[in-house]
Amino acid sequence: MQHGGSSNSAEIFQILADEYARKILLAADRDGPKTAKTLSEECDASLTTIYRRVSTLQEHGLIEERRTVDSDGSHRSEFQTALEELHVDVTDGQLSLTMETRDELADNFTALWSGLRGDE
């Protein structure tokens, strides 16, 4: 996903400037997916703050939601960081932002494996 000098880059920078958004990204990356309640506890933030930031992070592809069903039939959402790498380049007075998500890395691995097997 390339965000070269666009308003998307500015939005991503704005999101990452937010302390709670950064805390959520890091917490959701440690030890697997986490519920909003767990994120709230780990990030020392209200559930309202967690849900607002998670929504913004999801809109920009930085966090993923996974819905699970417990043994008692109740549904629950868990969140995991989708962002794997973030690169900022400054060239000719322009900022460009390049992001790689876990899905893209998995797709790249699948394509590489298919190529090695001769499936292409």
Side-chain angles (χ1 to χ4, degrees), residues 37-76:
K37 183 175 189 256
T38 302
L39 288 171
S40 174
E41 292 165 0
E42 289 186 17
C43 298
D44 193 27
S46 70
L47 277 174
T48 303
T49 298
I50 295 297
Y51 281 116
R52 279 190 197 137
R53 296 315 192 284
V54 163
S55 176
T56 300
L57 291 166
Q58 282 180 293
E59 288 173 19
H60 291 87
L62 300 173
I63 205 164
E64 296 174 338
E65 179 178 7
R66 296 189 180 160
R67 295 183 185 260
T68 60
V69 180
D70 290 336
S71 58
D72 65 358
S74 61
H75 294 250
R76 136 177 121 169

PDB file of all heavy atoms in Angstrom, residues 37-76:
ATOM      1  N   LYS A  37     -11.960  -4.557  25.887  1.00  0.00           N
ATOM      2  CA  LYS A  37     -11.790  -4.448  27.339  1.00  0.00           C
ATOM      3  C   LYS A  37     -10.327  -4.623  27.728  1.00  0.00           C
ATOM      4  O   LYS A  37      -9.785  -3.861  28.538  1.00  0.00           O
ATOM      5  CB  LYS A  37     -12.652  -5.493  28.047  1.00  0.00           C
ATOM      6  CG  LYS A  37     -12.590  -5.399  29.551  1.00  0.00           C
ATOM      7  CD  LYS A  37     -13.546  -6.381  30.206  1.00  0.00           C
ATOM      8  CE  LYS A  37     -13.625  -6.125  31.682  1.00  0.00           C
ATOM      9  NZ  LYS A  37     -12.927  -7.031  32.498  1.00  0.00           N
ATOM     10  N   THR A  38      -9.661  -5.611  27.143  1.00  0.00           N
ATOM     11  CA  THR A  38      -8.244  -5.834  27.426  1.00  0.00           C
ATOM     12  C   THR A  38      -7.411  -4.656  26.951  1.00  0.00           C
ATOM     13  O   THR A  38      -6.506  -4.196  27.662  1.00  0.00           O
ATOM     14  CB  THR A  38      -7.755  -7.141  26.760  1.00  0.00           C
ATOM     15  OG1 THR A  38      -8.550  -8.216  27.241  1.00  0.00           O
ATOM     16  CG2 THR A  38      -6.299  -7.409  27.054  1.00  0.00           C
ATOM     17  N   LEU A  39      -7.715  -4.132  25.763  1.00  0.00           N
ATOM     18  CA  LEU A  39      -6.999  -2.956  25.258  1.00  0.00           C
ATOM     19  C   LEU A  39      -7.204  -1.762  26.187  1.00  0.00           C
ATOM     20  O   LEU A  39      -6.275  -0.999  26.453  1.00  0.00           O
ATOM     21  CB  LEU A  39      -7.453  -2.611  23.844  1.00  0.00           C
ATOM     22  CG  LEU A  39      -6.998  -3.565  22.739  1.00  0.00           C
ATOM     23  CD1 LEU A  39      -7.689  -3.232  21.429  1.00  0.00           C
ATOM     24  CD2 LEU A  39      -5.487  -3.534  22.585  1.00  0.00           C
ATOM     25  N   SER A  40      -8.420  -1.623  26.683  1.00  0.00           N
ATOM     26  CA  SER A  40      -8.733  -0.531  27.607  1.00  0.00           C
ATOM     27  C   SER A  40      -7.853  -0.614  28.855  1.00  0.00           C
ATOM     28  O   SER A  40      -7.304   0.397  29.307  1.00  0.00           O
ATOM     29  CB  SER A  40     -10.214  -0.597  27.984  1.00  0.00           C
ATOM     30  OG  SER A  40     -10.524   0.346  28.975  1.00  0.00           O
ATOM     31  N   GLU A  41      -7.713  -1.808  29.384  1.00  0.00           N
ATOM     32  CA  GLU A  41      -6.893  -2.004  30.587  1.00  0.00           C
ATOM     33  C   GLU A  41      -5.416  -1.773  30.296  1.00  0.00           C
ATOM     34  O   GLU A  41      -4.726  -1.088  31.044  1.00  0.00           O
ATOM     35  CB  GLU A  41      -7.111  -3.415  31.138  1.00  0.00           C
ATOM     36  CG  GLU A  41      -8.506  -3.623  31.692  1.00  0.00           C
ATOM     37  CD  GLU A  41      -8.862  -5.094  31.905  1.00  0.00           C
ATOM     38  OE1 GLU A  41      -8.010  -5.983  31.623  1.00  0.00           O
ATOM     39  OE2 GLU A  41     -10.001  -5.350  32.340  1.00  0.00           O
ATOM     40  N   GLU A  42      -4.930  -2.328  29.195  1.00  0.00           N
ATOM     41  CA  GLU A  42      -3.504  -2.216  28.870  1.00  0.00           C
ATOM     42  C   GLU A  42      -3.094  -0.806  28.463  1.00  0.00           C
ATOM     43  O   GLU A  42      -1.959  -0.402  28.674  1.00  0.00           O
ATOM     44  CB  GLU A  42      -3.126  -3.206  27.768  1.00  0.00           C
ATOM     45  CG  GLU A  42      -3.135  -4.638  28.230  1.00  0.00           C
ATOM     46  CD  GLU A  42      -2.617  -5.613  27.188  1.00  0.00           C
ATOM     47  OE1 GLU A  42      -1.948  -5.179  26.219  1.00  0.00           O
ATOM     48  OE2 GLU A  42      -2.864  -6.818  27.347  1.00  0.00           O
ATOM     49  N   CYS A  43      -4.021  -0.074  27.861  1.00  0.00           N
ATOM     50  CA  CYS A  43      -3.706   1.275  27.369  1.00  0.00           C
ATOM     51  C   CYS A  43      -4.151   2.368  28.340  1.00  0.00           C
ATOM     52  O   CYS A  43      -3.965   3.551  28.062  1.00  0.00           O
ATOM     53  CB  CYS A  43      -4.369   1.502  26.012  1.00  0.00           C
ATOM     54  SG  CYS A  43      -3.795   0.369  24.744  1.00  0.00           S
ATOM     55  N   ASP A  44      -4.750   1.961  29.445  1.00  0.00           N
ATOM     56  CA  ASP A  44      -5.243   2.909  30.443  1.00  0.00           C
ATOM     57  C   ASP A  44      -6.140   3.963  29.786  1.00  0.00           C
ATOM     58  O   ASP A  44      -5.924   5.170  29.903  1.00  0.00           O
ATOM     59  CB  ASP A  44      -4.076   3.572  31.181  1.00  0.00           C
ATOM     60  CG  ASP A  44      -4.533   4.317  32.433  1.00  0.00           C
ATOM     61  OD1 ASP A  44      -5.569   3.924  33.006  1.00  0.00           O
ATOM     62  OD2 ASP A  44      -3.863   5.297  32.808  1.00  0.00           O
ATOM     63  N   ALA A  45      -7.144   3.464  29.053  1.00  0.00           N
ATOM     64  CA  ALA A  45      -8.070   4.337  28.328  1.00  0.00           C
ATOM     65  C   ALA A  45      -9.495   3.807  28.502  1.00  0.00           C
ATOM     66  O   ALA A  45      -9.693   2.608  28.707  1.00  0.00           O
ATOM     67  CB  ALA A  45      -7.707   4.369  26.849  1.00  0.00           C
ATOM     68  N   SER A  46     -10.461   4.697  28.396  1.00  0.00           N
ATOM     69  CA  SER A  46     -11.859   4.281  28.498  1.00  0.00           C
ATOM     70  C   SER A  46     -12.237   3.431  27.286  1.00  0.00           C
ATOM     71  O   SER A  46     -11.600   3.516  26.234  1.00  0.00           O
ATOM     72  CB  SER A  46     -12.770   5.507  28.574  1.00  0.00           C
ATOM     73  OG  SER A  46     -12.779   6.171  27.330  1.00  0.00           O
ATOM     74  N   LEU A  47     -13.288   2.636  27.429  1.00  0.00           N
ATOM     75  CA  LEU A  47     -13.768   1.835  26.296  1.00  0.00           C
ATOM     76  C   LEU A  47     -14.191   2.730  25.137  1.00  0.00           C
ATOM     77  O   LEU A  47     -13.963   2.389  23.978  1.00  0.00           O
ATOM     78  CB  LEU A  47     -14.932   0.942  26.722  1.00  0.00           C
ATOM     79  CG  LEU A  47     -14.544  -0.366  27.398  1.00  0.00           C
ATOM     80  CD1 LEU A  47     -15.769  -1.101  27.919  1.00  0.00           C
ATOM     81  CD2 LEU A  47     -13.770  -1.259  26.443  1.00  0.00           C
ATOM     82  N   THR A  48     -14.781   3.879  25.445  1.00  0.00           N
ATOM     83  CA  THR A  48     -15.184   4.815  24.392  1.00  0.00           C
ATOM     84  C   THR A  48     -13.969   5.260  23.578  1.00  0.00           C
ATOM     85  O   THR A  48     -14.013   5.273  22.343  1.00  0.00           O
ATOM     86  CB  THR A  48     -15.888   6.043  24.999  1.00  0.00           C
ATOM     87  OG1 THR A  48     -16.999   5.598  25.767  1.00  0.00           O
ATOM     88  CG2 THR A  48     -16.352   7.004  23.935  1.00  0.00           C
ATOM     89  N   THR A  49     -12.890   5.598  24.271  1.00  0.00           N
ATOM     90  CA  THR A  49     -11.658   6.013  23.588  1.00  0.00           C
ATOM     91  C   THR A  49     -11.122   4.869  22.737  1.00  0.00           C
ATOM     92  O   THR A  49     -10.727   5.079  21.579  1.00  0.00           O
ATOM     93  CB  THR A  49     -10.598   6.459  24.612  1.00  0.00           C
ATOM     94  OG1 THR A  49     -11.109   7.599  25.320  1.00  0.00           O
ATOM     95  CG2 THR A  49      -9.278   6.806  23.947  1.00  0.00           C
ATOM     96  N   ILE A  50     -11.120   3.665  23.290  1.00  0.00           N
ATOM     97  CA  ILE A  50     -10.628   2.498  22.548  1.00  0.00           C
ATOM     98  C   ILE A  50     -11.441   2.303  21.274  1.00  0.00           C
ATOM     99  O   ILE A  50     -10.885   2.159  20.180  1.00  0.00           O
ATOM    100  CB  ILE A  50     -10.662   1.222  23.425  1.00  0.00           C
ATOM    101  CG1 ILE A  50      -9.704   1.346  24.602  1.00  0.00           C
ATOM    102  CG2 ILE A  50     -10.371  -0.025  22.582  1.00  0.00           C
ATOM    103  CD1 ILE A  50      -8.243   1.467  24.239  1.00  0.00           C
ATOM    104  N   TYR A  51     -12.776   2.294  21.393  1.00  0.00           N
ATOM    105  CA  TYR A  51     -13.615   2.058  20.215  1.00  0.00           C
ATOM    106  C   TYR A  51     -13.448   3.151  19.164  1.00  0.00           C
ATOM    107  O   TYR A  51     -13.427   2.862  17.966  1.00  0.00           O
ATOM    108  CB  TYR A  51     -15.082   1.902  20.607  1.00  0.00           C
ATOM    109  CG  TYR A  51     -15.406   0.533  21.146  1.00  0.00           C
ATOM    110  CD1 TYR A  51     -15.829   0.355  22.455  1.00  0.00           C
ATOM    111  CD2 TYR A  51     -15.271  -0.605  20.349  1.00  0.00           C
ATOM    112  CE1 TYR A  51     -16.120  -0.919  22.953  1.00  0.00           C
ATOM    113  CE2 TYR A  51     -15.547  -1.875  20.832  1.00  0.00           C
ATOM    114  CZ  TYR A  51     -15.980  -2.017  22.138  1.00  0.00           C
ATOM    115  OH  TYR A  51     -16.257  -3.269  22.618  1.00  0.00           O
ATOM    116  N   ARG A  52     -13.315   4.400  19.581  1.00  0.00           N
ATOM    117  CA  ARG A  52     -13.111   5.492  18.608  1.00  0.00           C
ATOM    118  C   ARG A  52     -11.801   5.307  17.863  1.00  0.00           C
ATOM    119  O   ARG A  52     -11.740   5.428  16.637  1.00  0.00           O
ATOM    120  CB  ARG A  52     -13.106   6.845  19.324  1.00  0.00           C
ATOM    121  CG  ARG A  52     -14.459   7.375  19.609  1.00  0.00           C
ATOM    122  CD  ARG A  52     -14.368   8.814  20.100  1.00  0.00           C
ATOM    123  NE  ARG A  52     -15.616   9.176  20.753  1.00  0.00           N
ATOM    124  CZ  ARG A  52     -15.714   9.846  21.878  1.00  0.00           C
ATOM    125  NH1 ARG A  52     -14.616  10.271  22.492  1.00  0.00           N
ATOM    126  NH2 ARG A  52     -16.874  10.136  22.392  1.00  0.00           N
ATOM    127  N   ARG A  53     -10.725   5.059  18.607  1.00  0.00           N
ATOM    128  CA  ARG A  53      -9.413   4.915  17.969  1.00  0.00           C
ATOM    129  C   ARG A  53      -9.368   3.658  17.101  1.00  0.00           C
ATOM    130  O   ARG A  53      -8.822   3.684  16.004  1.00  0.00           O
ATOM    131  CB  ARG A  53      -8.293   4.850  19.004  1.00  0.00           C
ATOM    132  CG  ARG A  53      -8.081   6.083  19.859  1.00  0.00           C
ATOM    133  CD  ARG A  53      -8.093   7.380  19.099  1.00  0.00           C
ATOM    134  NE  ARG A  53      -7.625   8.516  19.855  1.00  0.00           N
ATOM    135  CZ  ARG A  53      -8.309   9.159  20.801  1.00  0.00           C
ATOM    136  NH1 ARG A  53      -9.511   8.769  21.153  1.00  0.00           N
ATOM    137  NH2 ARG A  53      -7.791  10.215  21.391  1.00  0.00           N
ATOM    138  N   VAL A  54      -9.934   2.561  17.592  1.00  0.00           N
ATOM    139  CA  VAL A  54      -9.944   1.324  16.808  1.00  0.00           C
ATOM    140  C   VAL A  54     -10.688   1.542  15.494  1.00  0.00           C
ATOM    141  O   VAL A  54     -10.246   1.093  14.432  1.00  0.00           O
ATOM    142  CB  VAL A  54     -10.550   0.154  17.621  1.00  0.00           C
ATOM    143  CG1 VAL A  54     -10.954  -0.994  16.722  1.00  0.00           C
ATOM    144  CG2 VAL A  54      -9.554  -0.327  18.662  1.00  0.00           C
ATOM    145  N   SER A  55     -11.794   2.259  15.540  1.00  0.00           N
ATOM    146  CA  SER A  55     -12.563   2.548  14.327  1.00  0.00           C
ATOM    147  C   SER A  55     -11.702   3.308  13.311  1.00  0.00           C
ATOM    148  O   SER A  55     -11.672   2.966  12.131  1.00  0.00           O
ATOM    149  CB  SER A  55     -13.815   3.348  14.684  1.00  0.00           C
ATOM    150  OG  SER A  55     -14.507   3.715  13.527  1.00  0.00           O
ATOM    151  N   THR A  56     -10.991   4.318  13.787  1.00  0.00           N
ATOM    152  CA  THR A  56     -10.114   5.105  12.906  1.00  0.00           C
ATOM    153  C   THR A  56      -8.982   4.231  12.368  1.00  0.00           C
ATOM    154  O   THR A  56      -8.660   4.289  11.175  1.00  0.00           O
ATOM    155  CB  THR A  56      -9.533   6.310  13.673  1.00  0.00           C
ATOM    156  OG1 THR A  56     -10.615   7.121  14.126  1.00  0.00           O
ATOM    157  CG2 THR A  56      -8.618   7.129  12.794  1.00  0.00           C
ATOM    158  N   LEU A  57      -8.394   3.418  13.232  1.00  0.00           N
ATOM    159  CA  LEU A  57      -7.307   2.539  12.798  1.00  0.00           C
ATOM    160  C   LEU A  57      -7.797   1.524  11.770  1.00  0.00           C
ATOM    161  O   LEU A  57      -7.092   1.228  10.798  1.00  0.00           O
ATOM    162  CB  LEU A  57      -6.702   1.823  14.011  1.00  0.00           C
ATOM    163  CG  LEU A  57      -5.919   2.706  14.982  1.00  0.00           C
ATOM    164  CD1 LEU A  57      -5.670   1.981  16.301  1.00  0.00           C
ATOM    165  CD2 LEU A  57      -4.613   3.166  14.359  1.00  0.00           C
ATOM    166  N   GLN A  58      -9.021   1.032  11.936  1.00  0.00           N
ATOM    167  CA  GLN A  58      -9.597   0.086  10.971  1.00  0.00           C
ATOM    168  C   GLN A  58      -9.843   0.766   9.628  1.00  0.00           C
ATOM    169  O   GLN A  58      -9.584   0.174   8.577  1.00  0.00           O
ATOM    170  CB  GLN A  58     -10.920  -0.474  11.489  1.00  0.00           C
ATOM    171  CG  GLN A  58     -10.769  -1.543  12.533  1.00  0.00           C
ATOM    172  CD  GLN A  58     -12.118  -2.036  13.000  1.00  0.00           C
ATOM    173  OE1 GLN A  58     -12.873  -1.308  13.624  1.00  0.00           O
ATOM    174  NE2 GLN A  58     -12.421  -3.284  12.687  1.00  0.00           N
ATOM    175  N   GLU A  59     -10.353   1.987   9.656  1.00  0.00           N
ATOM    176  CA  GLU A  59     -10.629   2.722   8.411  1.00  0.00           C
ATOM    177  C   GLU A  59      -9.383   2.852   7.545  1.00  0.00           C
ATOM    178  O   GLU A  59      -9.480   2.915   6.325  1.00  0.00           O
ATOM    179  CB  GLU A  59     -11.157   4.128   8.722  1.00  0.00           C
ATOM    180  CG  GLU A  59     -12.555   4.175   9.257  1.00  0.00           C
ATOM    181  CD  GLU A  59     -12.950   5.581   9.706  1.00  0.00           C
ATOM    182  OE1 GLU A  59     -12.299   6.568   9.278  1.00  0.00           O
ATOM    183  OE2 GLU A  59     -13.897   5.685  10.502  1.00  0.00           O
ATOM    184  N   HIS A  60      -8.234   2.907   8.183  1.00  0.00           N
ATOM    185  CA  HIS A  60      -6.981   3.093   7.450  1.00  0.00           C
ATOM    186  C   HIS A  60      -6.175   1.803   7.316  1.00  0.00           C
ATOM    187  O   HIS A  60      -5.007   1.826   6.926  1.00  0.00           O
ATOM    188  CB  HIS A  60      -6.156   4.192   8.126  1.00  0.00           C
ATOM    189  CG  HIS A  60      -6.784   5.538   7.957  1.00  0.00           C
ATOM    190  ND1 HIS A  60      -7.742   6.020   8.816  1.00  0.00           N
ATOM    191  CD2 HIS A  60      -6.638   6.471   6.992  1.00  0.00           C
ATOM    192  CE1 HIS A  60      -8.138   7.197   8.404  1.00  0.00           C
ATOM    193  NE2 HIS A  60      -7.489   7.497   7.298  1.00  0.00           N
ATOM    194  N   GLY A  61      -6.788   0.671   7.653  1.00  0.00           N
ATOM    195  CA  GLY A  61      -6.144  -0.622   7.453  1.00  0.00           C
ATOM    196  C   GLY A  61      -5.006  -0.922   8.409  1.00  0.00           C
ATOM    197  O   GLY A  61      -4.162  -1.759   8.113  1.00  0.00           O
ATOM    198  N   LEU A  62      -4.984  -0.246   9.567  1.00  0.00           N
ATOM    199  CA  LEU A  62      -3.895  -0.443  10.509  1.00  0.00           C
ATOM    200  C   LEU A  62      -4.203  -1.499  11.570  1.00  0.00           C
ATOM    201  O   LEU A  62      -3.291  -1.987  12.239  1.00  0.00           O
ATOM    202  CB  LEU A  62      -3.561   0.885  11.201  1.00  0.00           C
ATOM    203  CG  LEU A  62      -3.133   2.017  10.265  1.00  0.00           C
ATOM    204  CD1 LEU A  62      -3.005   3.318  11.034  1.00  0.00           C
ATOM    205  CD2 LEU A  62      -1.847   1.670   9.556  1.00  0.00           C
ATOM    206  N   ILE A  63      -5.464  -1.824  11.721  1.00  0.00           N
ATOM    207  CA  ILE A  63      -5.869  -2.819  12.713  1.00  0.00           C
ATOM    208  C   ILE A  63      -7.008  -3.640  12.127  1.00  0.00           C
ATOM    209  O   ILE A  63      -7.771  -3.138  11.307  1.00  0.00           O
ATOM    210  CB  ILE A  63      -6.256  -2.142  14.050  1.00  0.00           C
ATOM    211  CG1 ILE A  63      -6.082  -3.103  15.225  1.00  0.00           C
ATOM    212  CG2 ILE A  63      -7.639  -1.575  14.021  1.00  0.00           C
ATOM    213  CD1 ILE A  63      -6.076  -2.425  16.578  1.00  0.00           C
ATOM    214  N   GLU A  64      -7.075  -4.913  12.512  1.00  0.00           N
ATOM    215  CA  GLU A  64      -8.121  -5.808  12.009  1.00  0.00           C
ATOM    216  C   GLU A  64      -8.994  -6.275  13.161  1.00  0.00           C
ATOM    217  O   GLU A  64      -8.514  -6.461  14.279  1.00  0.00           O
ATOM    218  CB  GLU A  64      -7.493  -7.050  11.370  1.00  0.00           C
ATOM    219  CG  GLU A  64      -6.656  -6.774  10.162  1.00  0.00           C
ATOM    220  CD  GLU A  64      -5.943  -8.027   9.667  1.00  0.00           C
ATOM    221  OE1 GLU A  64      -5.763  -8.985  10.451  1.00  0.00           O
ATOM    222  OE2 GLU A  64      -5.552  -8.030   8.494  1.00  0.00           O
ATOM    223  N   GLU A  65     -10.254  -6.493  12.846  1.00  0.00           N
ATOM    224  CA  GLU A  65     -11.191  -7.037  13.825  1.00  0.00           C
ATOM    225  C   GLU A  65     -11.488  -8.483  13.470  1.00  0.00           C
ATOM    226  O   GLU A  65     -11.727  -8.812  12.314  1.00  0.00           O
ATOM    227  CB  GLU A  65     -12.493  -6.233  13.806  1.00  0.00           C
ATOM    228  CG  GLU A  65     -13.527  -6.733  14.774  1.00  0.00           C
ATOM    229  CD  GLU A  65     -14.782  -5.887  14.778  1.00  0.00           C
ATOM    230  OE1 GLU A  65     -14.905  -4.968  13.931  1.00  0.00           O
ATOM    231  OE2 GLU A  65     -15.646  -6.138  15.629  1.00  0.00           O
ATOM    232  N   ARG A  66     -11.454  -9.327  14.476  1.00  0.00           N
ATOM    233  CA  ARG A  66     -11.816 -10.737  14.299  1.00  0.00           C
ATOM    234  C   ARG A  66     -12.962 -11.033  15.245  1.00  0.00           C
ATOM    235  O   ARG A  66     -12.877 -10.761  16.427  1.00  0.00           O
ATOM    236  CB  ARG A  66     -10.634 -11.635  14.620  1.00  0.00           C
ATOM    237  CG  ARG A  66      -9.509 -11.398  13.660  1.00  0.00           C
ATOM    238  CD  ARG A  66      -8.433 -12.411  13.832  1.00  0.00           C
ATOM    239  NE  ARG A  66      -7.391 -12.101  12.855  1.00  0.00           N
ATOM    240  CZ  ARG A  66      -6.163 -12.509  12.945  1.00  0.00           C
ATOM    241  NH1 ARG A  66      -5.801 -13.261  13.964  1.00  0.00           N
ATOM    242  NH2 ARG A  66      -5.289 -12.193  12.029  1.00  0.00           N
ATOM    243  N   ARG A  67     -14.013 -11.582  14.691  1.00  0.00           N
ATOM    244  CA  ARG A  67     -15.162 -11.949  15.523  1.00  0.00           C
ATOM    245  C   ARG A  67     -15.094 -13.432  15.830  1.00  0.00           C
ATOM    246  O   ARG A  67     -14.866 -14.244  14.944  1.00  0.00           O
ATOM    247  CB  ARG A  67     -16.460 -11.611  14.810  1.00  0.00           C
ATOM    248  CG  ARG A  67     -16.621 -10.122  14.604  1.00  0.00           C
ATOM    249  CD  ARG A  67     -17.956  -9.809  13.968  1.00  0.00           C
ATOM    250  NE  ARG A  67     -18.039  -8.407  13.677  1.00  0.00           N
ATOM    251  CZ  ARG A  67     -18.691  -7.539  14.447  1.00  0.00           C
ATOM    252  NH1 ARG A  67     -19.305  -7.937  15.518  1.00  0.00           N
ATOM    253  NH2 ARG A  67     -18.736  -6.258  14.112  1.00  0.00           N
ATOM    254  N   THR A  68     -15.292 -13.745  17.110  1.00  0.00           N
ATOM    255  CA  THR A  68     -15.271 -15.128  17.542  1.00  0.00           C
ATOM    256  C   THR A  68     -16.562 -15.439  18.288  1.00  0.00           C
ATOM    257  O   THR A  68     -17.265 -14.535  18.730  1.00  0.00           O
ATOM    258  CB  THR A  68     -14.063 -15.410  18.469  1.00  0.00           C
ATOM    259  OG1 THR A  68     -14.157 -14.563  19.616  1.00  0.00           O
ATOM    260  CG2 THR A  68     -12.747 -15.167  17.764  1.00  0.00           C
ATOM    261  N   VAL A  69     -16.849 -16.721  18.396  1.00  0.00           N
ATOM    262  CA  VAL A  69     -18.018 -17.168  19.153  1.00  0.00           C
ATOM    263  C   VAL A  69     -17.504 -18.029  20.299  1.00  0.00           C
ATOM    264  O   VAL A  69     -16.792 -19.008  20.082  1.00  0.00           O
ATOM    265  CB  VAL A  69     -18.986 -17.980  18.260  1.00  0.00           C
ATOM    266  CG1 VAL A  69     -20.196 -18.447  19.058  1.00  0.00           C
ATOM    267  CG2 VAL A  69     -19.421 -17.155  17.061  1.00  0.00           C
ATOM    268  N   ASP A  70     -17.862 -17.623  21.519  1.00  0.00           N
ATOM    269  CA  ASP A  70     -17.450 -18.381  22.698  1.00  0.00           C
ATOM    270  C   ASP A  70     -18.266 -19.658  22.810  1.00  0.00           C
ATOM    271  O   ASP A  70     -19.287 -19.831  22.143  1.00  0.00           O
ATOM    272  CB  ASP A  70     -17.625 -17.533  23.971  1.00  0.00           C
ATOM    273  CG  ASP A  70     -16.621 -16.385  24.043  1.00  0.00           C
ATOM    274  OD1 ASP A  70     -15.560 -16.477  23.412  1.00  0.00           O
ATOM    275  OD2 ASP A  70     -16.919 -15.393  24.748  1.00  0.00           O
ATOM    276  N   SER A  71     -17.829 -20.541  23.701  1.00  0.00           N
ATOM    277  CA  SER A  71     -18.518 -21.824  23.884  1.00  0.00           C
ATOM    278  C   SER A  71     -19.970 -21.646  24.330  1.00  0.00           C
ATOM    279  O   SER A  71     -20.811 -22.487  24.061  1.00  0.00           O
ATOM    280  CB  SER A  71     -17.765 -22.688  24.892  1.00  0.00           C
ATOM    281  OG  SER A  71     -17.656 -22.006  26.128  1.00  0.00           O
ATOM    282  N   ASP A  72     -20.279 -20.514  24.980  1.00  0.00           N
ATOM    283  CA  ASP A  72     -21.654 -20.257  25.407  1.00  0.00           C
ATOM    284  C   ASP A  72     -22.491 -19.595  24.310  1.00  0.00           C
ATOM    285  O   ASP A  72     -23.648 -19.248  24.522  1.00  0.00           O
ATOM    286  CB  ASP A  72     -21.685 -19.401  26.675  1.00  0.00           C
ATOM    287  CG  ASP A  72     -21.130 -17.997  26.462  1.00  0.00           C
ATOM    288  OD1 ASP A  72     -20.679 -17.683  25.338  1.00  0.00           O
ATOM    289  OD2 ASP A  72     -21.136 -17.210  27.428  1.00  0.00           O
ATOM    290  N   GLY A  73     -21.907 -19.414  23.133  1.00  0.00           N
ATOM    291  CA  GLY A  73     -22.630 -18.840  21.999  1.00  0.00           C
ATOM    292  C   GLY A  73     -22.556 -17.326  21.899  1.00  0.00           C
ATOM    293  O   GLY A  73     -23.069 -16.741  20.953  1.00  0.00           O
ATOM    294  N   SER A  74     -21.912 -16.674  22.859  1.00  0.00           N
ATOM    295  CA  SER A  74     -21.816 -15.217  22.799  1.00  0.00           C
ATOM    296  C   SER A  74     -20.721 -14.802  21.804  1.00  0.00           C
ATOM    297  O   SER A  74     -19.695 -15.456  21.682  1.00  0.00           O
ATOM    298  CB  SER A  74     -21.540 -14.632  24.184  1.00  0.00           C
ATOM    299  OG  SER A  74     -20.317 -15.109  24.686  1.00  0.00           O
ATOM    300  N   HIS A  75     -20.990 -13.711  21.112  1.00  0.00           N
ATOM    301  CA  HIS A  75     -20.055 -13.196  20.108  1.00  0.00           C
ATOM    302  C   HIS A  75     -19.124 -12.188  20.768  1.00  0.00           C
ATOM    303  O   HIS A  75     -19.531 -11.447  21.649  1.00  0.00           O
ATOM    304  CB  HIS A  75     -20.812 -12.522  18.964  1.00  0.00           C
ATOM    305  CG  HIS A  75     -21.626 -13.484  18.178  1.00  0.00           C
ATOM    306  ND1 HIS A  75     -21.308 -13.830  16.894  1.00  0.00           N
ATOM    307  CD2 HIS A  75     -22.736 -14.193  18.486  1.00  0.00           C
ATOM    308  CE1 HIS A  75     -22.187 -14.700  16.440  1.00  0.00           C
ATOM    309  NE2 HIS A  75     -23.073 -14.938  17.401  1.00  0.00           N
ATOM    310  N   ARG A  76     -17.899 -12.178  20.272  1.00  0.00           N
ATOM    311  CA  ARG A  76     -16.952 -11.214  20.815  1.00  0.00           C
ATOM    312  C   ARG A  76     -16.003 -10.783  19.702  1.00  0.00           C
ATOM    313  O   ARG A  76     -15.661 -11.568  18.827  1.00  0.00           O
ATOM    314  CB  ARG A  76     -16.283 -11.869  22.005  1.00  0.00           C
ATOM    315  CG  ARG A  76     -14.838 -11.729  22.140  1.00  0.00           C
ATOM    316  CD  ARG A  76     -14.368 -12.366  23.406  1.00  0.00           C
ATOM    317  NE  ARG A  76     -13.417 -13.390  23.036  1.00  0.00           N
ATOM    318  CZ  ARG A  76     -12.657 -14.014  23.891  1.00  0.00           C
ATOM    319  NH1 ARG A  76     -12.774 -13.785  25.156  1.00  0.00           N
ATOM    320  NH2 ARG A  76     -11.795 -14.888  23.477  1.00  0.00           N
TER     321      ARG A  76
END
